[in-house]
Amino acid sequence: MPNDIASGFAQILDPEILSRARRGDRKAHDAIYQRYGRACYTLAMRILGQPAAAEDVVQEVFLRVLDRLAGFRGDAPFGAWLKRMTANATIDVLRSARHLQPLEDEVWLDSLGHSQPAVEQSVDAWSLLMRLTPRARAVVLLHELEGYTHLELAQMFGQSESYSKSLLARSLQKLQDARPGRDAAVEVENEH
């Protein structure tokens, strides 16, 4: 398979499939799901960190696609439109679950730096991200990996741009501080 073939949300949707889907063709709907379902799930899973919740988001997104497909004007590629719907649906889940979070993001981020992980604990990028609250993780992933601007994030979360910027900066700093071996590197730098 050539390396220049797009994957995820960057895939090009055949205009004929889109046309058939708009007319209610079930096979065309299935084709869209087959093409983009994994990308939707991956984005939701990265943010939510829970397979069942990510699957629920995918189901909700594709139900929305069926309802809103007639309104898709094609101003942006279909994958970008679907990616936005997936991000919004994921943030909706975070908003509805907010009452389950006992601490605000900023308070929780402050407490993160005070807990020491066990030495034997293996830490990779995913486990570091999972230490963040879902909102903080969403801001990091959507900004750093998916390319959303602070203005877009502010609109999606119903917050100010400064909220997004502050949460991103604090989250990245906490991730940096939590990296394995960081303390040793700091001590070495201080000795020289």
Side-chain angles (χ1 to χ4, degrees):
M1 185 178 278
N3 290 338
D4 61 345
I5 293 179
S7 63
F9 291 108
Q11 298 178 77
I12 304 299
L13 182 61
D14 181 343
E16 178 59 31
I17 292 174
L18 179 58
S19 177
R20 288 183 15 233
R22 284 182 167 155
R23 292 190 307 263
D25 182 326
R26 194 172 232 351
K27 287 184 181 181
H29 293 157
D30 290 345
I32 291 172
Y33 176 80
Q34 292 301 318
R35 181 167 295 249
Y36 295 102
R38 176 50 85 188
C40 291
Y41 176 81
T42 300
L43 179 58
M45 182 62 188
R46 283 179 179 162
I47 293 171
L48 299 173
Q50 300 172 356
E55 289 170 6
D56 289 346
V57 165
V58 172
Q59 183 177 7
E60 177 64 28
V61 165
F62 279 94
L63 288 173
R64 287 182 189 176
V65 165
L66 294 177
D67 288 342
R68 298 179 184 169
L69 198 53
F72 173 65
R73 296 185 311 257
D75 297 339
F78 181 83
W81 180 71
L82 186 60
K83 179 179 173 181
R84 170 74 81 181
M85 287 179 66
T86 304
N88 286 335
T90 304
I91 290 170
D92 289 346
V93 170
L94 294 178
R95 281 190 192 125
S96 68
R98 186 167 189 174
H99 68 278
L100 299 175
Q101 293 179 355
L103 300 172
E104 291 295 319
D105 292 316
E106 289 80 6
V107 173
W108 190 86
L109 282 169
D110 286 340
S111 70
L112 179 65
H114 302 298
S115 62
Q116 296 297 321
V119 174
E120 67 275 0
Q121 182 180 8
S122 171
V123 181
D124 60 11
W126 180 248
S127 64
L128 285 173
L129 283 170
M130 292 308 293
R131 291 181 181 187
L132 298 175
T133 63
R135 263 183 187 249
R137 188 170 53 247
V139 169
V140 169
L141 290 169
L142 292 173
H143 186 273
E144 297 298 310
L145 296 179
E146 301 296 334
Y148 284 85
T149 67
H150 287 293
L151 176 60
E152 291 170 320
L153 291 170
Q155 292 167 345
M156 292 168 81
F157 280 100
Q159 298 285 337
S160 66
E161 280 186 73
S162 61
Y163 170 84
S164 172
K165 290 175 183 178
S166 173
L167 189 54
L168 177 67
R170 293 177 60 150
S171 298
L172 291 175
Q173 184 59 53
K174 293 299 178 183
L175 291 173
Q176 182 73 16
D177 292 346
R179 276 191 6 240
R182 186 185 181 283
D183 294 335
V186 171
E187 291 174 9
V188 170
E189 288 177 13
N190 291 337
E191 291 177 8
H192 294 288

